[in-house]
Amino acid sequence: MPPPAPTATRPPPAPGVSATAGAPGTRGARARRRRHPLAPRAHRGNALHPGAWWVWALGLGTAASRTTNPLLLALLVGTAGYVVAARRTDAPWARSYGAFVRLGLVVLGIRLAFAVFLGSAIPGTHIVVTLPEVPLPHWAQGVRIGGRVTAEGLVFALYDGLKLATLLICVGAANALANPARLLKSLPGALYEAGVAVVVALTFAPNLIADGRRLRAARRLRGRPDRGLGGLLHVGLPVLEGALERSVALAASMDARGYGRTVEVSPAVRRTTAVLTLGGLLGVCVGTYGLLTADGGRYGAAVLPAGLAAALGGLALGGRRSPRTRYRPDVWGVRAWLVAGSGVAVAALLIVTGAHDPAALHPGVVPLTAPSLPLWPAASVLLGLLPALVAPAPAPTPTPPTPPTAPPAPTAPTAKESS
């Protein structure tokens, strides 16, 4: 009689894990699908293009530059922080968001200190304190040190510093969400000659954060102070030196592997590429400056599309000079369009609002009035939360299983117990 056919058995689950955890149709799987109804788990095949994160963050930064309303600026900071908390990975460069937040707070404090000690051009009648004023020569008219500190000047400095801090936080969100190595791999072919400088620039800030954490942990293990001015003086120079050395080493390794090598093209094509690229980038800078300033909206809206078109044409033409192929290039898919489009929509809607209702975006300080939250600009800012729904969710960090606790060892009986 032939032996019965072996049946496939399921391996026992790991300790502390339910046998039905993760199985399709179970309660745990349904809960995870409800928690991320639109976004799948991130993996190498569906990873979001890093350029989409930068477009989204720059859109939020452009919106922040168009308003001094502290409620809208706080809403922009909350939007960027929520998206970072929902879609940040555990990579070392993803921990730089907190450093940018602290840098924004430092900038806000410096702006307020300048308003207190160097005065403000905003006239005010509500005097907070009067400091001793340093007499200056006649050629320094318009500049003063000390004197009256008014509430109107402090509020104006607070609004201005909060705007600068919000811009830094938006840039920090892009640094925490976009992979710098993948962003560099997606660089257009016309910019490969500047690849070494781009590598150093893009990897310096993430390496700076990683080295700072590593050195502070090492000082704590040695029982040395890692906070305050003394800890900063002992950690600051090694951190800067280590981050720069790692960035330069990465650039040298890429240069040794042929990064930035080009093929021979005709002089006419080379000159056309240079004119289109440089002229287009210059037009983009001028147009962006016009859109970010209050008085340049007329020429900025016309110069920016023209410069962008010329730059794209130069980049496409210069891409023929690069013989390098890309292994598994990042695809700009539907989710990347949604993420980038949400940031562009926030910027565009606040620019339109500023043209039709500037008082809603710029609360007055003379006389002092409490800022109000305008409805439509606030709803426009909330569009920036779309990446938290459509961007692929980062994979959870695997937690090691808890080892079973050993039973306590038997103790030898004492002399009293033996007797």
Side-chain angles (χ1 to χ4, degrees), residues 11 28 55 57 109 124 149 156 250 274 276 289 344 354 418:
V55 174
V149 179
F156 178 79
L250 177 59
L276 287 177
Y289 175 78
V344 173
S418 302

Side-chain angles (χ1 to χ4, degrees), residues 262-290:
T262 58
V263 297
E264 290 294 332
V265 295
S266 62
V269 174
R270 188 165 56 248
R271 286 193 292 266
T272 304
T273 302
V275 170
L276 287 177
T277 304
L278 294 179
L281 294 178
L282 181 61
V284 169
C285 293
V286 173
T288 304
Y289 175 78

Side-chain angles (χ1 to χ4, degrees), residues 128-158:
V128 178
V129 67
T130 301
L131 301 177
E133 187 171 356
V134 178
L136 297 176
H138 67 280
W139 50 266
Q141 293 181 359
V143 179
R144 67 178 178 87
I145 301 177
R148 298 186 308 168
V149 179
T150 62
E152 290 83 356
L154 287 178
V155 171
F156 178 79
L158 176 65

Side-chain angles (χ1 to χ4, degrees), residues 68-257:
T68 56
N69 191 321
L71 300 180
L72 288 177
L73 293 175
L75 192 60
L76 284 168
V77 172
T79 299
Y82 180 80
V83 174
V84 169
R87 292 298 179 262
R88 180 173 57 178
T89 62
D90 294 329
W93 42 264
R95 303 171 185 171
S96 59
Y97 182 72
F100 278 92
V101 172
R102 290 189 288 270
L103 181 60
L105 294 177
V106 170
V107 169
L108 179 59
I110 292 175
R111 183 65 181 88
L112 289 174
F114 280 176
V116 170
F117 295 105
L118 300 180
S120 176
I122 301 299
T125 58
H126 299 80
I127 299 177
V128 178
V129 67
T130 301
L131 301 177
E133 187 171 356
V134 178
L136 297 176
H138 67 280
W139 50 266
Q141 293 181 359
V143 179
R144 67 178 178 87
I145 301 177
R148 298 186 308 168
V149 179
T150 62
E152 290 83 356
L154 287 178
V155 171
F156 178 79
L158 176 65
Y159 291 173
D160 196 27
L162 188 58
K163 179 170 69 173
L164 296 177
T166 306
L167 288 171
L168 287 173
I169 290 174
C170 292
V171 174
N175 277 276
L177 293 171
N179 189 333
R182 288 175 45 214
L183 179 64
L184 186 63
K185 191 175 69 172
S186 305
L187 200 67
L191 300 180
Y192 283 160
E193 294 177 354
V196 175
V198 173
V199 169
V200 174
L202 288 180
T203 58
F204 181 75
N207 289 337
L208 187 71
I209 303 300
D211 286 347
R213 291 177 176 271
R214 178 176 54 83
L215 289 178
R216 288 184 60 187
R219 289 184 65 84
R220 283 195 299 268
L221 291 175
R222 293 183 176 93
R224 298 175 182 176
D226 63 317
R227 297 182 181 274
L229 184 59
L232 179 62
L233 293 177
H234 287 89
V235 173
L237 186 59
V239 165
L240 292 174
E241 183 181 1
L244 186 58
E245 285 182 354
R246 289 172 60 184
S247 300
V248 173
L250 177 59
S253 66
M254 296 184 68
D255 184 69
R257 289 172 173 82

Side-chain angles (χ1 to χ4, degrees), residues 379-408:
S380 304
V381 172
L382 292 180
L383 290 176
L385 293 173
L386 185 62
L389 300 176
V390 301
T397 305
T399 57
T402 305
T405 57

